[in-house]
Amino acid sequence: MIVLYMIVSGLIPNPSIFRSNLTADLVFPDLHSPLIKPAPCHQAESSALLQLKKRFAITKFASQSSLSYTKTNSWNSSSDCCSWLGVKCDEQTGHVIGLDISSSQIYGSIESNSTLFQLSQLEKLNLSDNHFNYSHIPSSFAHLSRLTHLDLSGSKFSGEIPEEISQLSNLLVLDLCCNYDALSPPTNLLHFKQQNLGNVVQNLTNLQVLSLGYVNMSSPIPSALTNLSSLEYLCLLSTGVYGEFPIGIFLLPNLEYLNVGANQGLSGYLPEFHSSIPLQFLTLRSAGFRRNLPGSIGNLTRLIYLDLGYNQFKGNLPSSLLNITQLSYLDVSGNKLHGKIPLSIFSLENLSYMDLRGNHLSGQLELGMFLWSFKMLSVLCLSYNNLSLIIKPSAFNASLAMNITTLFLASCSMNEFPEILKDQDQLEELDLSNNKIKGTLPSWIYRKENLWVL
């Protein structure tokens, strides 16, 4: 089972967090048996690695991770390359079968004649979180025909993704995510030729992880993706894909993570879900989805993270949400949902983030219900609906959620300042604008040391 980690501080989650758990086996443990003397590293492969090391400079700015360090410092001609950090060898043959130099503060280009491509027995290669100086991904990667794992994410590769990648028919993991310049908005550095993604997908039929966030595609999503029955992780975040979303992707039998957010040219709708669907993470934020939220969404009982914000969903919030008992993150903001908030939603005891703002939800609710029902709650956004929030002294003050950092209650027809917030010491952002509050601000609001937005 894949362990799901989430970022709840941003509007669009960082896909690399969940992805890193799927690709964790690109970091190689010491598996040497004390009973069998491993075969030594091949001299030609040791030399190839040392030549690779010479081509790069080491500089801290080349890696973004605060945990980065220079793995290649341990590489030298006086020791067996199988003992070097980031290098894994086959114990029987001595061939290098794994290379993980991720987050190694490497700066420089990789050319098609790089000695990296002499490591013909490589099965797992992780070059993520370095700075390869905007070099193109060499077509020579096709020479590494045994690769099952290829991670080039966040490493400042640029240009067109070579078709030769499709020749790596053994790939289980292909991660080209997050090669961008961090401007506002980010500038994507990699791109596929139109239709090339379809060609790649048709050949890589064993894929379990396909991570292409921030890769420019500017094409429809190929229907061939619906044939990848082993796929567990799919990220097409901010790729410029457009057209109707293939509904069969939702129904893939092993898919746990799906992110197609920030693709405003997409359109689509949610299918009828059945209980065997293993989705844990689903974000369709700003992706042009429409129609009602189906009641069968409650069959996604493994969901932990659900972001449907800024689409064209309408109708009611399904009461079947109560079945998703593990749900921690719920965002349906910026849609056209209407009707009352179903009381069943207050059964979701694990919610830490709930954003319902910018819909047409209506009804009268007590603010204390949210703070009492959701003990883990840190973010609550109800602004700009047709809600009427009432403030009552709560008999459950001792049991209120005490980790609230963000509370957006603009335009909620509130008549008084919520005294219930007096003991919320973690509060950082509070929006009570466009209400009907009269009188004087309570003195305790000035003692909120963490409050920076009011």
Side-chain angles (χ1 to χ4, degrees):
M1 173 65 73
I2 297 167
V3 179
L4 175 61
Y5 291 91
M6 300 171 295
I7 288 182
V8 296
S9 59
L11 291 180
I12 295 180
N14 183 344
S16 66
I17 300 302
F18 187 98
R19 184 183 71 250
S20 65
N21 295 284
L22 289 167
T23 58
D25 55 354
L26 280 126
V27 180
F28 313 114
D30 182 6
L31 299 178
H32 295 315
S33 167
L35 303 178
I36 303 174
K37 185 177 181 180
C41 177
H42 287 248
Q43 182 59 42
E45 295 180 4
S46 178
S47 177
L49 288 168
L50 289 173
Q51 288 296 317
L52 181 67
K53 175 184 177 180
K54 287 181 180 179
R55 293 296 301 269
F56 299 127
I58 301 298
T59 177
K60 285 187 177 181
F61 85 85
S63 295
Q64 300 302 307
S65 171
S66 60
L67 302 177
S68 67
Y69 64 99
T70 309
K71 296 177 183 176
T72 54
N73 278 347
S74 67
W75 297 10
N76 62 77
S77 58
S78 64
S79 59
D80 187 333
C81 81
C82 296
S83 68
W84 297 348
L85 282 176
V87 177
K88 178 177 174 58
C89 295
D90 184 289
E91 292 190 351
Q92 294 183 339
T93 67
H95 283 298
V96 175
I97 59 172
L99 181 62
D100 173 18
I101 48 175
S102 59
S103 300
S104 293
Q105 304 175 2
I106 289 172
Y107 178 82
S109 299
I110 292 184
E111 308 298 340
S112 59
N113 61 354
S114 170
T115 56
L116 171 67
F117 305 115
Q118 296 175 18
L119 304 175
S120 60
Q121 305 299 304
L122 264 185
E123 297 174 7
K124 297 181 180 181
L125 177 60
N126 189 347
L127 303 178
S128 64
D129 190 29
N130 290 294
H131 195 311
F132 291 109
N133 196 27
Y134 307 103
S135 56
H136 290 193
I137 296 175
S139 59
S140 304
F141 272 104
H143 297 164
L144 305 178
S145 59
R146 293 173 176 264
L147 279 181
T148 61
H149 295 63
L150 178 59
D151 189 345
L152 307 180
S153 61
S155 288
K156 294 296 192 291
F157 283 103
S158 70
E160 184 180 315
I161 295 168
E163 284 189 61
E164 287 79 3
I165 292 288
S166 66
Q167 297 175 25
L168 301 175
S169 58
N170 293 313
L171 277 183
L172 304 177
V173 172
L174 176 60
D175 192 342
L176 306 177
C177 178
C178 308
N179 283 282
Y180 56 75
D181 275 334
L183 306 173
S184 184
T187 301
N188 298 0
L189 298 175
L190 286 174
H191 66 272
F192 275 107
K193 270 188 178 177
Q194 197 165 21
Q195 305 306 324
N196 265 14
L197 177 60
N199 296 335
V200 168
V201 169
Q202 284 179 346
N203 290 340
L204 306 183
T205 55
N206 298 314
L207 278 176
Q208 297 173 2
V209 175
L210 181 58
S211 184
L212 301 175
Y214 301 100
V215 174
N216 274 341
M217 296 181 194
S218 299
S219 66
I221 296 176
S223 58
L225 279 172
T226 62
N227 298 324
L228 300 182
S229 58
S230 298
L231 201 63
E232 300 175 16
Y233 179 109
L234 176 61
C235 179
L236 300 176
L237 172 66
S238 191
T239 53
V241 289
Y242 58 81
E244 191 76 8
F245 184 81
I247 201 166
I249 291 177
F250 288 114
L251 307 177
L252 287 169
N254 293 294
L255 193 65
E256 298 183 5
Y257 178 110
L258 176 60
N259 186 345
V260 293
N263 290 297
Q264 296 183 352
L266 272 181
S267 60
Y269 58 93
L270 296 179
E272 290 298 319
F273 294 107
H274 49 80
S275 58
S276 63
I277 292 176
L279 277 170
Q280 296 181 32
F281 182 114
L282 176 60
T283 177
L284 309 176
R285 190 177 191 83
S286 300
F289 279 72
R290 59 192 189 278
R291 299 191 187 178
N292 290 5
L293 298 180
S296 61
I297 199 169
N299 289 331
L300 299 179
T301 55
R302 304 181 200 179
L303 265 185
I304 299 173
Y305 191 112
L306 179 61
D307 187 350
L308 306 178
Y310 292 89
N311 284 284
Q312 300 294 317
F313 289 115
K314 56 185 181 180
N316 298 321
L317 268 177
S319 59
S320 61
L321 286 170
L322 69 86
N323 297 324
I324 314 177
T325 56
Q326 299 183 67
L327 197 64
S328 174
Y329 186 112
L330 173 63
D331 190 336
V332 293
S333 59
N335 282 284
K336 298 179 179 179
L337 299 171
H338 57 77
K340 295 184 177 182
I341 296 174
L343 294 180
S344 58
I345 204 171
F346 294 101
S347 301
L348 300 177
E349 296 179 353
N350 290 310
L351 271 186
S352 62
Y353 185 111
M354 181 162 62
D355 191 347
L356 310 181
R357 61 186 152 172
N359 283 285
H360 307 298
L361 299 170
S362 59
Q364 188 177 76
L365 289 167
E366 183 183 349
L367 177 59
M369 289 178 64
F370 291 91
L371 303 185
W372 178 69
S373 300
F374 306 119
K375 303 298 190 301
M376 311 292 291
L377 199 65
S378 62
V379 174
L380 175 62
C381 304
L382 302 174
S383 300
Y384 303 111
N385 281 285
N386 298 318
L387 295 171
S388 179
L389 279 185
I390 56 176
I391 311 298
K392 290 182 179 179
S394 176
F396 305 102
N397 277 359
S399 301
L400 293 179
M402 299 304 294
N403 299 310
I404 297 288
T405 61
T406 299
L407 193 57
F408 291 165
L409 304 175
S411 190
C412 285
S413 299
M414 297 171 65
N415 292 313
E416 58 182 294
F417 203 92
E419 188 73 17
I420 199 171
L421 302 181
K422 181 177 181 179
D423 296 321
Q424 294 289 336
D425 294 332
Q426 305 303 314
L427 199 60
E428 297 176 0
E429 301 175 275
L430 177 61
D431 184 358
L432 302 176
S433 59
N434 293 299
N435 279 291
K436 303 174 182 179
I437 299 171
K438 300 177 181 178
T440 305
L441 279 174
S443 59
W444 52 259
I445 197 67
Y446 303 108
R447 297 193 291 272
K448 296 287 182 190
E449 296 181 356
N450 296 308
L451 189 65
W452 63 279
V453 172
L454 176 60

